[in-house]
Amino acid sequence: MPKQTFLNLPQEKRTAFTDIALDEFANHEYNTASISKIVERAGIAKGSVYQYFEDKQDLFMYLLDVANREMIGFIQRTAPPNPNADFFELLRWQMSASVQAAQTYPVHARLARRAYSSPLPFREDILAEAKRVRQAHFQAMIAQGQAAGHLTPRLDPAVVSFVVQGIINDLGLFLESKFGERAPDWLELPEVDEVFDQVIAILKCGVASKPD
């Protein structure tokens, strides 16, 4: 995380440096992202980066935290259309809101995808923290759904959370592999919404055929 030297910078200088660094790491793999290019664009000495952060990994983790906070903040500021939405409606809305966040913050979204999918030397730490945050989030949603009578109370929220996450955790990678080559703005394709609807249908009704 940033050293006090970085935190003491004026806000506009912190923001300018962060934006430049986000762009560099979002558009290059971690090993090829260049500190030299960042400082050149920022107009600062290379040694300044190490007065701001311990090392390249420390800078990357800060940028990932910035990216996640911006996108989560966007979702939190976007209220569900139905204030009385049940668990499935809320989950479906979160899928759409996540897409909207990625469209609003494309650089942040690219960096996050690299963090979660690239073979980083510290990737396991990133995934472990992301798993902890997701598990807490979904367990709380599931417990609320059970209390409201939207979900069966017989099931352990931890087990339900495990199943839900197993289905949706790699949904972004699945969508990118399925639609990413069709258009640069593939997130806006109507087929993406259709996938979301199918995921919700599977969670809600299962995959067994229904008797006539």
Side-chain angles (χ1 to χ4, degrees):
M1 290 296 104
K3 296 180 180 180
Q4 194 61 43
T5 308
F6 182 74
L7 299 177
N8 288 340
L9 291 174
Q11 179 64 53
E12 62 272 17
K13 289 188 176 181
R14 292 201 309 270
T15 300
F17 175 86
T18 299
D19 289 346
I20 291 168
L22 277 166
D23 186 69
E24 177 67 18
F25 280 96
N27 290 299
H28 299 87
E29 293 294 343
Y30 176 80
N31 290 333
T32 58
S34 172
I35 298 296
S36 296
K37 290 181 179 178
I38 292 172
V39 299
E40 180 181 356
R41 289 180 59 191
I44 60 176
K46 190 170 185 179
S48 297
V49 174
Y50 301 102
Q51 293 177 351
Y52 299 161
F53 300 91
E54 289 294 338
D55 50 27
K56 187 177 183 179
Q57 177 178 331
D58 192 35
L59 171 58
F60 183 87
M61 294 299 289
Y62 164 72
L63 296 172
L64 177 60
D65 182 61
V66 169
N68 285 332
R69 281 191 286 108
E70 289 284 6
M71 291 189 291
I72 291 171
F74 176 88
I75 294 171
Q76 291 173 338
R77 294 190 300 271
T78 308
N82 178 8
N84 299 313
D86 66 14
F87 172 82
F88 299 103
E89 291 174 305
L90 189 59
L91 184 60
R92 176 64 180 82
W93 165 78
Q94 287 185 359
M95 291 178 178
S96 292
S98 296
V99 168
Q100 293 171 18
Q103 292 172 329
T104 304
Y105 296 97
V107 174
H108 300 64
R110 284 200 303 274
L111 183 134
R113 284 198 294 272
R114 287 191 186 280
Y116 299 128
S117 62
S118 299
L120 300 171
F122 48 94
R123 182 169 177 257
E124 291 304 316
D125 293 337
I126 293 174
L127 294 179
E129 175 61 14
K131 180 179 179 181
R132 183 192 66 78
V133 172
R134 284 196 305 268
Q135 186 164 341
H137 171 73
F138 283 117
Q139 284 195 39
M141 275 185 64
I142 290 160
Q144 291 171 3
Q146 289 176 323
H150 303 147
L151 300 174
T152 176
R154 295 182 293 104
L155 298 176
D156 182 345
V159 176
V160 181
S161 174
F162 171 77
V163 173
V164 171
Q165 290 185 73
I167 292 176
I168 70 173
N169 277 354
D170 291 329
L171 188 55
L173 294 176
F174 168 77
L175 290 170
E176 187 169 9
S177 68
K178 187 174 179 64
F179 303 118
E181 294 183 358
R182 290 179 50 181
D185 55 351
W186 60 269
L187 284 170
E188 300 179 20
L189 293 172
E191 291 92 330
V192 171
D193 277 327
E194 292 173 6
V195 171
F196 290 160
D197 291 338
Q198 289 187 38
V199 169
I200 295 300
I202 290 169
L203 287 171
K204 195 171 186 178
C205 306
V207 296
S209 62
K210 305 300 180 183
D212 295 332

